[in-house]
């Protein structure tokens, strides 16, 4: 097609500042004409009902498209989007391969957060990877190696505060799990769902919303057969700060934590490292079945 | 990178997501496109050099990523079949109301370049010049794509006179 055909004048559209073209009609429909030209086109359309109808139809299309798509602008941003150059650097850095290779990614399907990875039965890659890195946290005496910071520290504190509460450990109980999921998803701005840990002896008690350092954080609480409690803390973190899978301690609370992309996860319990690992393995295995 | 530049990029994200949703319809795939665009933007930020505005630069990146994806997907039959076929059996007969479902369906059946053009103009409300710069084509091309897209929508959604041949959509008004 001749790309300049839109500039061809429409017969009978003369007068004023030159003949009326097809392009003028589009520009009229889109509000992209200067005022004098706009007035000319309006005059031109006055006794041309067919052209007037076309322009009206185009405007209706514009309106329908906007009504359909404008709500996207006010949707919460998916957490997987890299929101800074730092986040980008993390994605491209050496950690990327490690994180992907070892275990975790946030599923892009957006249905829920899930842990993904090549984890086999028993002492899989997780255990083999974690063991060397956490040797210092096993009480070998290296100062600072197991000191909790950032969200891992907050997770430990939250665990210490809420898990001993016999009567009100959570805001929304597992009996209303769907409501809990809906609520946390809305407040977190992304799909958040508790893992099912019954297979390893932990039942969901419920969850709550907590303030993190920059925004809302979700905490899920589970309890074991002997009443021992375990919490999973899910937060949005600046990627790049923590990247490895680590253990730390805060008083009696042991924490297994990691950051994947923009998410921080912390699994806290009074249980020992081996028990935390066992639970973590179950979570990964659960993803395999999903 | 300066903080305000980062903020300018982040400020583009909502409209990039809107544009992507119109381009590929499926929300997850649309955000894949946004993510791809952002990663490209962060890695190429040095090439921006503050020439022109950030929004045009970001939309230009998305345009390239989208077209690359379209080209890569062309070998898949489901993406190319039917692109040029008017959907006669489901043609709407009433003009006043356009259903979103129909709109999405017809939009996705437009050739990708026409879909881009219509969305940039109608939804992002860009000037024809801006749209031309983003897609790297002359303004005349923007106008002809726009005209074709609009006539196709009219024919399929609004009961307008069917555009039997694309060239007809640019015919001179009698």
């Amino acid at each position: 097609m001749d790309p300049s055909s839109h500039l061809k004048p429409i017969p009978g559209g003369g007068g004023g500042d030159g003949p009326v073209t097809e392009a003028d009609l589009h520009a009229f429909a889109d509000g992209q004409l200067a005022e004098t030209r706009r007035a000319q086109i309006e005059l031109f359309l006055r006794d041309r009902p067919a052209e007037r109808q076309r322009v009206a139809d185009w405007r209706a299309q514009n309106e329908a498209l906007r009504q359909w798509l404008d709500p996207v602008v006010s949707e919460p941003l998916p957490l997987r989007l890299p929101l800074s150059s730092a986040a980008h650097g993390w994605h491209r850095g050496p950690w990327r391969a490690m994180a992907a290779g070892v275990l975790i990614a946030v599923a892009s399907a957006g249905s829920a957060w899930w842990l993904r990875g090549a984890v086999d039965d028993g002492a899989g890659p997780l255990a083999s990877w974690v063991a060397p890195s956490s040797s210092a946290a096993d009480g070998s005496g290296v100062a600072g190696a197991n000191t909790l910071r950032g969200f891992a520290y907050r997770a430990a504190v939250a665990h210490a505060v809420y898990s001993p509460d016999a009567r009100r450990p959570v805001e929304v109980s597992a009996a209303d799990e769907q409501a809990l999921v809906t609520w946390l998803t809305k407040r977190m701005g992304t799909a958040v769902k508790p893992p099912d840990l019954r297979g390893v002896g932990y039942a969901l008690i419920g969850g709550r919303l907590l303030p993190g350092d920059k925004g809302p954080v979700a905490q899920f609480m589970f309890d074991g057969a002997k009443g021992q409690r375990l919490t999973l803390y899910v937060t949005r973190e600046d990627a790049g700060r923590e990247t490895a899978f680590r253990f730390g301690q805060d008083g009696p609370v042991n924490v297994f934590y990691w950051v994947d992309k923009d998410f921080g996860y912390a699994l806290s319990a009074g249980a020992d490292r081996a028990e935390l690992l066992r639970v973590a393995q179950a979570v990964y295995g659960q993803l395999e079945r999903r | 990178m300066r903080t305000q530049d980062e903020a300018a990029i982040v400020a583009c994200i909502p409209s990039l997501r809107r544009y992507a949703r119109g381009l590929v319809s499926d929300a997850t795939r649309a955000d894949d496109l946004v993510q791809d665009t952002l990663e490209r933007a962060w890695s190429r930020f040095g090439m921006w050099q503050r020439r022109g505005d950030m929004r045009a630069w970001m939309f230009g990146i998305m345009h390239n990523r989208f077209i690359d994806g379209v080209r890569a997907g062309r070998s898949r039959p489901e993406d190319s079949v039917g692109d040029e076929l008017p959907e006669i059996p489901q043609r709407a007969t009433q003009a006043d109301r356009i259903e979103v479902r129909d709109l999405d369906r017809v939009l996705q059946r437009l050739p990708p370049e026409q879909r881009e053009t219509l969305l940039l103009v109608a939804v992002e409300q860009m000037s024809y010049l801006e749209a031309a710069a983003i897609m790297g084509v002359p303004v005349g091309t923007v106008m002809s794509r726009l005209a074709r897209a609009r006539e196709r929508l009219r024919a399929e959604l609004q009961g307008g006179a069917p555009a039997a041949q694309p060239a007809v959509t640019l015919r001179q008004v009698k």
Side-chain angles (χ1 to χ4, degrees):
Chain A
M1 177 188 299
D2 173 10
S4 66
S5 60
H6 68 284
L7 292 175
K8 286 179 183 165
I10 295 172
D17 296 327
V20 173
T21 65
E22 179 89 7
D24 281 324
L25 299 184
H26 286 282
F28 179 80
D30 292 320
Q32 295 199 19
L33 288 178
E35 176 53 31
T36 50
R37 190 61 170 166
R38 196 197 61 76
Q40 288 167 8
I41 303 302
E42 205 161 60
L43 202 63
F44 170 82
L45 290 174
R46 189 162 293 170
D47 51 0
R48 288 175 176 82
E51 299 317 311
R52 214 163 51 229
Q53 183 61 51
R54 288 173 69 212
V55 170
D57 284 351
W58 298 340
R59 284 182 164 164
Q61 291 170 9
N62 285 3
E63 188 55 36
L65 285 166
R66 279 179 223 141
Q67 277 184 16
W68 167 38
L69 291 168
D70 276 349
V72 175
V73 168
S74 44
E75 288 176 6
L77 296 183
L79 295 188
R80 66 187 167 108
L81 296 181
L83 299 183
S84 70
S85 53
H88 174 73
W90 185 81
H91 280 291
R92 296 186 76 83
W95 300 118
R96 181 185 194 149
M98 183 198 75
V102 176
L103 24 115
I104 301 159
V106 174
S108 62
S111 57
W113 73 268
W114 282 106
L115 309 175
R116 183 192 320 177
V119 175
D120 304 315
D121 293 336
L126 171 65
S128 61
W129 195 89
V130 166
S133 78
S134 59
S135 56
D138 289 336
S140 61
V142 179
N146 58 355
T147 302
L148 292 173
R149 285 173 306 191
F151 77 89
Y153 175 71
R154 290 192 296 277
V157 172
H159 180 87
V161 169
Y162 293 111
S163 67
D165 196 320
R167 297 188 58 193
R168 283 199 170 275
V170 295
E171 280 178 281
V172 179
S173 81
D176 299 312
E177 184 172 351
Q178 191 48 53
L180 173 66
V181 166
T182 303
W183 174 55
L184 291 176
T185 294
K186 191 174 173 191
R187 295 303 308 273
M188 294 282 287
T190 188
V192 175
K193 186 183 173 185
D196 184 342
L197 300 179
R198 286 173 295 185
V200 286
Y202 288 87
L204 182 69
I205 300 175
R208 65 168 65 242
L209 194 71
L210 293 171
D213 65 340
K214 291 187 292 290
V217 168
Q219 185 198 48
F220 296 111
M221 194 177 299
F222 301 84
D223 68 348
K226 298 170 190 163
Q228 70 277 32
R229 284 179 172 169
L230 181 144
T231 58
L232 179 68
Y233 190 88
V234 184
T235 176
R236 183 171 182 166
E237 283 299 302
D238 287 342
R241 278 218 309 239
E242 297 284 351
T243 53
F245 305 97
R246 302 206 171 135
F247 276 98
Q249 268 185 312
D250 187 66
V253 181
N254 285 330
V255 184
F256 174 66
Y257 63 100
W258 65 95
V259 169
D260 182 73
K261 294 182 181 169
D262 303 351
F263 288 104
Y265 303 98
L267 200 56
S268 308
D272 63 19
R273 185 172 72 89
E275 174 68 358
L276 278 177
L277 264 177
R278 190 179 72 87
V279 175
Q281 292 272 25
V283 174
Y284 310 141
Q286 197 170 108
L287 182 74
E288 300 285 296
R289 290 198 300 275
R290 188 173 151 75
Chain B
M1 181 183 291
R2 297 180 311 167
T3 307
Q4 62 259 47
D5 295 332
E6 289 201 356
I9 287 180
V10 170
C12 292
I13 295 176
S15 55
L16 285 171
R17 292 187 70 236
R18 173 174 61 190
Y19 181 45
R21 191 75 60 89
L23 286 178
V24 303
S25 180
D26 175 76
T28 301
R29 283 182 54 222
D31 279 327
D32 287 344
L33 180 59
V34 176
Q35 182 170 357
D36 197 15
T37 300
L38 284 170
E39 287 178 356
R40 188 58 69 106
W42 294 125
S43 72
R44 294 195 168 186
F45 185 73
M47 295 168 68
W48 176 54
Q49 296 174 332
R50 297 180 183 82
R51 289 177 311 207
D53 77 306
M54 182 69 83
R55 185 175 78 138
W57 186 68
M58 296 293 292
F59 274 82
I61 293 174
M62 180 167 282
H63 158 76
N64 290 331
R65 305 310 295 157
F66 172 64
I67 293 299
D68 283 355
V70 167
R71 286 183 184 139
R74 272 217 168 112
S75 53
R76 294 202 303 264
E78 65 270 24
D79 284 351
S80 51
V81 165
D83 269 0
E84 297 294 341
L85 301 175
E87 199 152 277
I88 294 163
Q90 294 173 56
R91 179 172 298 165
T93 49
Q94 58 191 45
D96 13 6
R97 184 158 165 72
I98 301 175
E99 297 291 341
V100 162
R101 198 183 47 189
D102 297 334
L103 184 62
D104 189 10
R105 176 175 51 79
V106 175
L107 193 71
Q108 298 311 313
R109 292 162 51 85
L110 287 179
E113 297 81 5
Q114 291 181 24
R115 203 183 317 150
E116 282 194 296
T117 306
L118 184 61
L119 290 168
L120 288 175
V121 169
V123 180
E124 303 308 321
Q125 304 191 42
M126 292 190 180
S127 74
Y128 303 144
L129 276 174
E130 285 177 297
I134 283 164
M135 295 184 290
V137 297
V139 175
T141 306
V142 169
M143 300 314 296
S144 49
R145 287 178 181 173
L146 188 60
R148 290 179 185 204
R150 283 176 163 166
E151 286 311 298
R152 177 86 169 264
L153 260 61
R154 254 167 56 77
E156 299 200 13
L157 297 172
Q158 296 166 307
Q165 302 297 327
V168 172
T169 62
L170 280 188
R171 71 193 183 282
Q172 295 181 8
V173 174
K174 300 185 183 71

